[in-house]
Amino acid sequence: MMAYTPRVEIARHISSEIGVDFSYLGGDFVRVSLVDFLDIVTIFCQMSSSYIDDPVARVERVFREENLSYSLGEYGGVHYLVDAEFHSSLQSSIAGLSAADFIAAREALERVQPALDVDNTRDAIRAVYDAAENVFKVKFGASRLGASEIGRDM
């Protein structure tokens, strides 16, 4: 039986949370999906703060050094790294759609960041398209946003 250590505790918790077997605790990291890896990072950050100094800062440093487009929240949750300009542009676009006619477009844009927060780029892209289509429908009275409508109305 393996002696109890913080490493064993974290490995057991990871195994129980995401179903990846870390029982061997060898030097090689097992192959896992990106989603599982990011979950492992979160679990590591949450559980290791009592064993090492500032695990979130340590993981953030690795993400920066490896040019990964992820950042960590205060409690170790992994998120897409969204630069300040993207965030500012998104908020400005949402604010610009404050008129009652653009409620659907605004609500669509408000779905972009939550989709990116859970690595769902497909839903983020759909939300942007939905917003563009809603604005197009309001501005031009069209029934949809398509190539023929754009050619006709713009």
Side-chain angles (χ1 to χ4, degrees):
M1 184 168 175
M2 204 171 292
Y4 174 83
T5 65
R7 185 175 178 183
V8 170
E9 179 185 356
I10 292 170
R12 286 182 180 156
H13 191 72
I14 289 169
S15 294
S16 70
E17 285 292 316
I18 64 172
V20 174
D21 182 17
F22 283 91
S23 60
Y24 69 95
L25 295 172
D28 295 329
F29 200 69
V30 297
R31 290 187 181 268
V32 296
S33 70
L34 177 60
V35 171
D36 284 344
F37 174 74
L38 297 176
D39 286 344
I40 290 167
V41 168
T42 298
I43 292 167
F44 169 79
C45 287
Q46 290 172 346
M47 293 191 69
S48 62
S49 62
S50 58
Y51 308 116
I52 62 174
D53 291 334
D54 204 355
V56 171
R58 290 172 181 240
V59 172
E60 283 275 355
R61 189 188 84 226
V62 171
F63 283 175
R64 279 191 314 275
E65 289 174 357
E66 298 301 324
N67 294 316
L68 299 176
S69 296
Y70 295 99
S71 65
L72 294 175
E74 180 181 353
Y75 302 106
V78 181
H79 308 280
Y80 271 124
L81 181 63
V82 177
D83 64 25
E85 184 60 33
F86 173 84
H87 183 72
S88 175
S89 294
L90 180 60
Q91 295 307 311
S92 177
S93 297
I94 290 170
L97 295 170
S98 61
D101 290 348
F102 298 110
I103 289 172
R106 183 177 65 248
E107 288 174 350
L109 277 186
E110 288 171 345
R111 294 193 318 261
V112 171
Q113 190 62 57
L116 291 176
D117 286 345
V118 294
D119 300 335
N120 193 340
T121 53
R122 183 185 64 170
D123 282 355
I125 291 168
R126 282 184 178 169
V128 170
Y129 177 81
D130 288 348
E133 183 176 52
N134 279 292
V135 168
F136 187 80
K137 287 176 176 180
V138 169
K139 293 297 275 181
F140 298 103
S143 61
R144 67 182 199 95
L145 175 59
S148 60
E149 290 80 14
I150 291 171
R152 181 188 68 228
D153 295 329
M154 293 186 84

